[in-house]
């Protein structure tokens, strides 16, 4: 159970004074909350960190106040001058003074009774806001704060500035943040004292206080010691949790799975190419894992077109040779069907019985499929999230492959594993997103890793060029000539339909334009279409009935049309490097020379220039991934925003890679010396896991 001292932090935010239903709705928009959490909590406010401060410490006299600066002034109220009745445009003015000069406080569309209550004639008040000169007079329009001398302490001299949402007042949020801070307990230290001293880092509680109630403007700067401390805490919690999941997994009794090679031999013979050296190495590593008495959990990362599907099929065939079943799970229906089509001819050659289960299979066909699966008549089941459902029962699942792992959480991975019965299923996770080492540690720290670094023989380099969108008609003319020679073209647009807000070329408009210029044979594919329409369009393109496919990024992962040799990416400057690389990987799969044209608007930002230049320079996905990490930071590279994965709430800024590497090593040492976290530091670290909601790790401890 969660330690009682943390209970106040996990209470709903509406326990705080001034946080009613309306403010809760606004907080829900402003705060980043973990997946599955629908109502803001006190802890979500604590992780909502300021991005800067407003410094109100300058307290000059009125005469010494500098126009254009923020100042806190002590003044006496002289008189109120309301605007003429009916004139809503004229301001409401309040004349004030100190011993050195006069200051007008100015309010537009103000309620007279409110202003009179705030500023009673003859009394003193502290006012804080921006001082401006209007003619000969100094004035302050709509002071940020008006407080009586006895309430002076309520005026935040260093006021944190938080990310906001429309309708949420800064004062309301600040008040809620201060109350959340008051509920934060002082906890036993979980970091090593020498490490804290060496870094000059404060305690956890002091770090929180200095961020939400800064002593100095530097406290909330990007590399500040309070921020670094909390970032390291979060990374250490992440690394510990992954380490615990990994150790727990290794400790579970596995199921050795060994084949005799007869079916794999048939597949190898049916392949139109021989395996690359890195494919052979990966298969040896997977085979060794499968044959071991512990459970297998391995990541296969390979660049676009490096032959991961073939490796996965041969590994699944090993399980079938051993008399068991295998499963392959993909994140989308399009990708699941693509895998089924790629695997079908090879499976036929080996006599493997393959089934496909997506959300579209319903009624009697679905029931029949599940019956065949449960009786062992299906050797390999390919599908989407539908594989998680309770009524999907395998006769004997020994091996499971998850494609594009970053779209699935640890929980989902475990859910598929448990379908493997007593010994659990051996697990292979695949990704076509080459992942830098830092992200491997963060998102895949619980997996062993195999890499595919070569492309199959016969794959030609893809000529990549950036082109200004002013030359679009020239490009279309060149494409027309290529189409006459049998080429096929992907044309990717970033939006589905026209928008008043954006000037981006929309897929529907581009489709209409290309149809006008190139004639029939131009298809359209976007995320708003139903699955059957998507499949029909893709099939028409794959069969060559469509020559040009205008699409949004739904074609990014897994679509395989060997004859397609031209990729046009419109508004390429709006895409991330990894996404550009994934899209380019849709061409260059056949014997024709292939091209990737990066259409962009002028002028390009420095970052966009670097991205497009990198695309022209190299096809090496691992180099591109490192550059993407450098340009974008860790939180976004794996598409976390799109996939619903929780990004880090504190970590990800200055020194990210260095802190993550240290946390990775620290977690390994902790678990090596105190695997059950029972020492004094171990107990404190358990609280850290609860604080950052590493529930999977905590659940495994409780089960142990």
């Amino acid at each position: 159970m969660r330690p009682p001292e943390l209970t106040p932090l996990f209470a709903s935010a509406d326990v705080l004074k001034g946080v009613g239903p309306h403010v809760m709705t606004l907080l829900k928009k402003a705060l980043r909350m973990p997946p599955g959490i629908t109502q803001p909590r006190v802890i979500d406010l604590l992780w909502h960190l300021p991005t800067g401060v407003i410094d109100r410490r300058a307290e000059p006299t009125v005469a010494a106040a500098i126009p254009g600066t923020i100042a806190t002034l002590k003044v006496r109220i002289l008189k109120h001058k309301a605007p003429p009745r009916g004139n809503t445009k004229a301001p409401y003015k309040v004349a004030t003074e100190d011993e050195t000069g006069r200051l007008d406080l100015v309010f537009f569309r103000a309620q007279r009774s409110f202003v009179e209550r705030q500023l009673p004639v003859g009394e003193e008040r502290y006012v804080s806001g921006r001082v401006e000169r209007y003619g000969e007079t100094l004035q302050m329009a709509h002071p940020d704060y008006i407080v009586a001398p006895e309430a002076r302490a309520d005026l935040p001299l260093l006021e944190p500035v938080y990310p906001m949402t429309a309708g949420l007042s800064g004062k309301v949020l600040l008040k809620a943040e201060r109350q959340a801070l008051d509920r934060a307990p002082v906890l036993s230290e979980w970091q090593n004292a020498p490490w804290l001293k060496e870094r000059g880092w404060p305690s956890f509680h002091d770090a929180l206080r200095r961020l939400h109630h800064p002593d100095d403007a530097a406290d909330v700067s990007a590399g500040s010691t309070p921020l670094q401390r909390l970032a390291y805490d979060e990374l250490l919690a992440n690394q510990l949790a992954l380490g615990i999941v990994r150790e727990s997994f290794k400790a579970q009794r596995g199921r050795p799975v060994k084949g005799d090679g007869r079916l794999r031999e048939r597949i190898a013979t049916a392949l139109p190419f021989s395996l690359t050296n890195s494919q052979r190495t990966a298969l040896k590593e997977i085979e060794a894992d499968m044959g071991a008495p512990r459970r297998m959990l391995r990541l296969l990362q390979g660049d676009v077109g490096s032959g991961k599907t073939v490796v996965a099929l041969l590994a699944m065939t090993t399980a079938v040779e051993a008399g068991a079943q295998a499963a392959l799970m993909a994140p989308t229906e399009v990708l699941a069907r693509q895998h089924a089509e790629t695997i079908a001819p090879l499976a036929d050659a080996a006599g493997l019985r393959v089934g496909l289960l997506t959300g579209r299979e319903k009624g009697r066909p679905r029931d029949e499929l599940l019956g065949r699966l449960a009786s062992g008549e299906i050797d390999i089941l390919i599908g989407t999230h539908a594989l998680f459902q309770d009524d999907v029962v395998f006769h004997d699942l020994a091996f499971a492959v998850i494609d594009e792992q970053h779209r699935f959480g640890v929980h989902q991975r475990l859910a598929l594993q448990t379908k493997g019965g007593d010994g659990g299923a051996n697990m292979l996770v695949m990704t076509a997103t080459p992942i830098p080492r830092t992200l491997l540690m963060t998102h895949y720290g619980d997996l062993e890793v195999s890499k595919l670094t070569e492309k199959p023989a016969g794959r030609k380099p893809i000529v990549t060029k950036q082109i200004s969108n002013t030359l679009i008609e020239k490009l279309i003319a060149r494409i027309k000539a290529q189409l006459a020679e049998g080429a096929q073209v992907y044309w990717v647009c970033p939006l589905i339909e026209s928008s008043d807000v954006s000037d981006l070329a929309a897929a529907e408009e581009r489709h209409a334009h290309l149809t006008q210029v190139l004639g029939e044979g131009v298809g359209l594919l976007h995320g708003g279409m139903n699955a059957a329409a998507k499949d029909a369009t893709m099939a028409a393109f794959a069969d060559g009935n469509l020559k040009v496919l205008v699409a949004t990024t739904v074609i990014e992962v897994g679509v395989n049309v060997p004859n397609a040799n031209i990729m046009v990416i419109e508004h390429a400057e709006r895409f991330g490097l990894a996404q550009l690389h994934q899209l380019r990987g849709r061409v260059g799969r056949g014997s024709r020379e292939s091209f990737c044209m990066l259409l962009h608007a002028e002028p390009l930002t420095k970052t966009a220039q670097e991205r497009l230049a990198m695309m022209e320079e190299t096809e090496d996905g691992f180099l591109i991934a490192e550059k993407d990490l450098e340009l974008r930071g860790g939180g976004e590279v794996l598409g976390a925003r799109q996939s619903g994965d929780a990004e880090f709430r504190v970590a990800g800024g200055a020194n990210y890679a260095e802190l993550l590497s240290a946390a990775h090593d620290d977690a390994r040492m902790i678990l090596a010396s105190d695997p059950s976290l029972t020492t004094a530091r171990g107990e404190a670290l358990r609280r850290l896991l609860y604080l950052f909601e590493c529930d999977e790790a905590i659940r495994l401890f409780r089960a142990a």
Side-chain angles (χ1 to χ4, degrees):
M1 297 297 289
R2 185 184 291 134
E5 61 266 39
L6 297 183
T7 304
L9 297 182
F10 288 89
S12 172
D14 58 13
V15 301
L16 305 174
K17 197 175 171 187
V19 180
H22 177 61
V23 174
M24 281 290 276
T25 304
L26 295 171
L27 287 178
K28 199 170 171 181
K29 290 181 188 170
L31 308 182
R32 238 176 41 211
M33 296 180 293
I37 300 299
T38 56
Q39 289 302 314
R41 304 157 304 167
V42 173
I43 196 155
D44 299 318
L45 281 161
L46 288 180
W47 299 144
H48 189 69
L49 298 176
T51 51
V53 291
I54 297 170
D55 192 340
R56 304 186 183 281
R57 290 176 296 183
E59 295 191 53
T61 60
V62 169
I66 300 167
T69 64
I70 286 173
T72 300
L73 306 170
K74 187 181 184 183
V75 294
R76 190 173 66 259
I77 290 83
L78 295 176
K79 65 176 181 180
H80 287 239
K81 187 184 175 188
R85 199 175 294 279
N87 185 349
T88 54
K89 290 186 179 175
Y92 187 119
K93 291 187 178 180
V94 181
T96 72
E97 67 173 6
D98 70 359
E99 63 276 7
T100 69
R102 295 268 300 260
L103 172 80
D104 281 349
L105 304 179
V106 180
F107 301 87
F108 292 91
R109 297 184 177 275
Q111 255 188 337
R112 181 171 186 153
S113 59
F114 173 77
V115 180
E116 286 175 344
R117 261 198 326 274
Q118 291 276 299
L119 297 158
V121 173
E123 292 195 20
E124 288 188 324
R125 289 290 183 267
Y126 282 96
V127 292
S128 189
R130 190 170 295 279
V131 178
E132 301 288 2
R133 184 172 293 286
Y134 185 69
E136 292 301 306
T137 316
L138 279 180
Q139 67 177 30
M140 186 184 287
H142 290 277
D144 300 326
Y145 289 91
I146 301 169
V147 299
E150 61 272 17
R152 171 79 171 69
D154 294 344
L155 207 161
L157 293 181
L158 272 175
E159 181 182 1
V161 177
Y162 294 93
M164 299 294 281
T165 192
L168 182 61
S169 136
K171 283 185 190 173
V172 168
L173 180 57
L174 180 63
K175 192 175 168 189
E177 293 283 4
R178 290 275 163 95
Q179 291 178 77
L181 186 61
D182 290 342
R183 292 172 75 95
V186 175
L187 300 166
S188 303
E189 184 57 73
W190 47 74
Q191 301 292 3
N192 271 331
W195 168 251
L196 289 180
K197 190 175 177 185
E198 181 192 327
R199 293 289 186 142
W201 285 350
S203 68
F204 172 76
H205 191 276
D206 200 37
L208 271 181
R209 185 195 60 74
R210 283 172 55 187
L211 284 162
H212 291 291
H213 206 315
D215 300 327
D216 192 280
D219 283 346
V220 298
S221 63
S224 74
T225 52
L227 198 55
Q228 295 277 291
R229 158 76 209 230
L230 293 188
Y232 188 74
D233 284 338
E234 183 172 29
L235 292 170
L236 181 59
N238 166 272
Q239 291 300 298
L240 265 179
L242 287 172
I244 290 161
V245 171
R246 179 186 194 144
E247 293 309 314
S248 149
F249 190 81
K250 280 183 176 174
Q252 290 170 7
R253 186 170 56 81
R255 167 187 184 176
V257 176
K258 295 177 182 173
D260 55 15
R262 61 197 160 80
L263 300 179
R264 279 171 288 169
E265 188 60 43
R266 289 187 207 166
I267 290 172
T269 306
L271 282 172
F273 50 80
S274 56
L275 296 175
T276 64
N277 287 332
S278 56
Q279 280 176 316
R280 291 179 202 280
T281 303
L283 279 165
K284 273 184 193 160
E285 290 168 345
I286 292 165
E287 203 174 326
D289 278 2
M290 289 176 79
R294 60 182 175 81
R295 288 197 194 182
M296 165 186 167
L297 188 50
R298 181 170 285 277
L299 172 70
L300 177 65
Q301 63 163 341
D303 205 349
V304 176
S306 57
K308 292 180 301 300
T309 309
V310 169
V311 171
L313 174 61
L314 288 165
M316 290 192 288
T317 307
T318 304
V320 179
E321 287 172 355
Q325 292 169 300
L328 191 162
M329 186 173 72
T332 65
E333 197 166 308
V334 169
L335 192 47
R337 291 184 183 280
Q338 186 82 53
H339 278 312
E341 284 163 23
T342 306
I343 283 170
L346 298 169
D348 287 347
L352 296 169
R353 300 163 298 180
V354 178
L356 177 67
L357 180 66
T358 68
R360 201 189 311 172
E361 279 67 45
K362 291 186 172 69
R364 184 178 291 173
R366 186 177 189 276
D367 293 341
E368 285 174 2
L369 179 77
L370 294 182
R372 288 168 55 222
L373 184 71
S375 66
E377 290 172 54
I378 289 176
D379 298 316
I380 294 173
L381 182 65
I382 298 168
T384 56
H385 292 76
L387 300 192
F388 290 135
Q389 291 164 0
D390 290 341
D391 62 346
V392 178
V393 178
F394 290 81
H395 177 68
D396 183 16
L397 178 65
F399 188 74
V401 181
I402 295 187
D403 196 12
E404 290 305 320
Q405 144 71 17
H406 64 270
R407 306 198 181 193
F408 302 104
V410 174
H411 301 272
Q412 291 170 307
R413 199 161 71 211
L414 292 170
L416 187 56
Q417 236 153 13
T418 55
K419 290 187 180 284
D422 199 23
N426 286 301
M427 184 73 68
L428 180 69
V429 164
M430 300 197 300
T431 179
T433 310
I435 305 163
R437 180 174 173 265
T438 46
L439 293 185
L440 269 177
M441 287 191 284
T442 336
H443 292 257
Y444 301 88
D446 56 331
L447 285 77
E448 308 291 341
V449 180
S450 294
K451 269 187 182 183
L452 298 182
T453 52
E454 307 159 79
K455 286 195 176 184
R459 286 280 173 99
K460 292 186 176 177
I462 301 166
V463 179
T464 304
K465 295 270 182 227
Q466 41 177 313
I467 305 179
S468 166
N469 57 10
T470 56
L471 302 173
I472 192 166
E473 295 307 330
K474 274 190 179 174
L475 175 64
I476 292 172
R478 281 174 61 194
I479 283 172
K480 199 169 185 177
Q482 286 269 338
L483 291 176
E485 294 172 21
Q488 275 184 285
V489 182
Y490 289 107
W491 190 298
V492 177
C493 299
L495 279 184
I496 295 178
E497 57 191 32
S498 292
S499 156
D500 298 334
V501 187
S502 170
D503 59 352
L504 295 192
E508 287 179 345
E509 281 181 19
R510 183 58 64 213
H511 174 252
H513 175 220
L514 291 176
T515 302
Q516 199 177 358
V517 179
L518 303 174
E520 295 306 310
V522 181
L524 176 64
L525 185 72
H526 60 72
M529 295 162 67
N530 66 39
K534 277 184 198 168
D535 286 352
T537 305
M538 269 317 308
F541 187 60
D543 295 343
N545 296 329
L546 291 174
K547 293 297 179 190
V548 179
L549 184 63
V550 178
T552 56
T553 52
V554 291
I555 58 125
E556 181 184 340
V557 176
V559 175
N560 185 27
V561 181
N563 191 54
N565 68 315
I566 300 172
M567 167 64 72
V568 179
I569 304 173
E570 199 161 346
H571 280 288
E573 77 279 6
R574 301 292 179 103
F575 292 92
L577 249 180
Q579 203 175 22
L580 289 171
H581 179 62
Q582 288 282 345
L583 288 166
R584 174 169 62 184
R586 298 305 105 217
V587 296
R589 293 167 168 251
S591 54
R592 304 174 68 89
E593 187 178 15
S594 293
F595 302 89
C596 177
M597 315 309 281
L598 305 171
L599 264 176
H600 63 81
E602 302 276 9
L604 286 173
T605 65
K606 184 172 179 293
T607 303
Q609 283 172 6
E610 286 187 53
R611 274 194 202 125
L612 301 189
M614 189 75 186
M615 287 291 292
E616 285 183 324
E617 282 165 28
T618 183
E619 276 187 71
D620 184 325
F622 292 98
L623 283 177
I624 284 170
E626 293 291 349
K627 185 70 173 177
D628 200 26
L629 179 64
E630 177 195 320
L631 293 177
R632 286 208 286 173
E636 295 178 17
V637 174
L638 291 182
R641 289 217 170 94
Q642 288 72 27
S643 69
D645 255 5
E647 291 176 59
F648 287 125
R649 305 175 84 182
V650 183
N655 296 353
Y656 172 75
E658 181 198 336
L659 291 177
L660 177 59
S661 192
H664 180 70
D665 295 343
D666 198 2
R668 292 228 157 176
M669 286 190 289
I670 290 163
L671 292 174
S673 61
D674 183 15
S676 302
L677 297 187
T678 48
T679 62
R681 186 187 182 195
E683 288 292 340
L685 285 163
R686 286 182 180 227
R687 285 181 180 78
L688 175 68
L689 291 170
Y690 275 108
L691 262 177
F692 286 100
E693 300 178 73
C694 299
D695 293 28
E696 192 57 49
I698 294 159
R699 188 187 67 73
L700 290 169
F701 268 139
R702 287 214 294 267

